[in-house]
Amino acid sequence: MEMTGEQLVPASQQDTWNALMDPEVLKACVPGCEAIERLGDNAFQVLMVARVGPVSAKFKGKLTLTEVKPPNSYSMAFEGQGGAAGFAKGGAQVRLLAEKDHTKLAYDVKANVGGKLAQIGSRLVDAAARKVADDFFRNFNEQLSAPHKKEAAHDEHHSEPVARDPDLPKIGDGTLSFIAAGTLVVYAVALLTLFD
């Protein structure tokens, strides 16, 4: 599978680079990503759930960055195992170029898949990869444009505080604590279920 593309990111080249190097930003932007953990300066372990047609699996993989030239470019090698679903292995080149107050991000990806993933056909795998890339860039662009929206909202001046809506129910501190504790329990049970 080969995929190339370009995106115009609504942030400076340095901000775009910093976001691409931040595991928390990437985790928030990669569809199905459950964890990105830094293993070293240029190595990451990734845990994600992916669905390609009828095949759904949890993939555990490793990303290694090479030829790192901040804030202009880097190469990436990746490999992941999805159990019976198969494996993915490949590489990518990423280039950043400043364009006024935006950044053009260009990428070239080459990957091989095996196992059940290879059996379902390259057209379906290519379509799923394109969807993941589109979703990632939509999330990434929203993430990087969010600070600009916050600054714009902060610049608006409200001369008076906004009154509380009288139609909203009143909730006491005890109720809020109960809701927060319940949410934490549900979250913990979900995590235990995922990792068992």
Side-chain angles (χ1 to χ4, degrees), residues 5-73:
E6 288 184 353
Q7 289 285 323
L8 193 60
V9 180
S12 70
Q13 184 174 350
Q14 187 63 53
D15 288 345
T16 302
W17 178 268
N18 293 343
L20 288 170
M21 296 296 126
D22 185 339
E24 289 303 312
V25 171
L26 295 175
K27 179 182 171 192
C29 296
V30 174
C33 185
E34 294 181 354
I36 297 181
E37 184 179 317
R38 188 179 291 273
L39 299 175
D41 284 345
N42 293 321
F44 301 89
Q45 182 171 313
V46 179
L47 183 65
M48 68 182 290
V49 175
R51 181 175 189 87
V52 180
V55 178
S56 180
K58 187 177 285 197
F59 285 86
K60 185 175 185 178
K62 184 177 179 184
L63 276 169
T64 305
L65 303 180
T66 59
E67 302 174 31
V68 180
K69 298 174 186 158
N72 300 312
S73 64

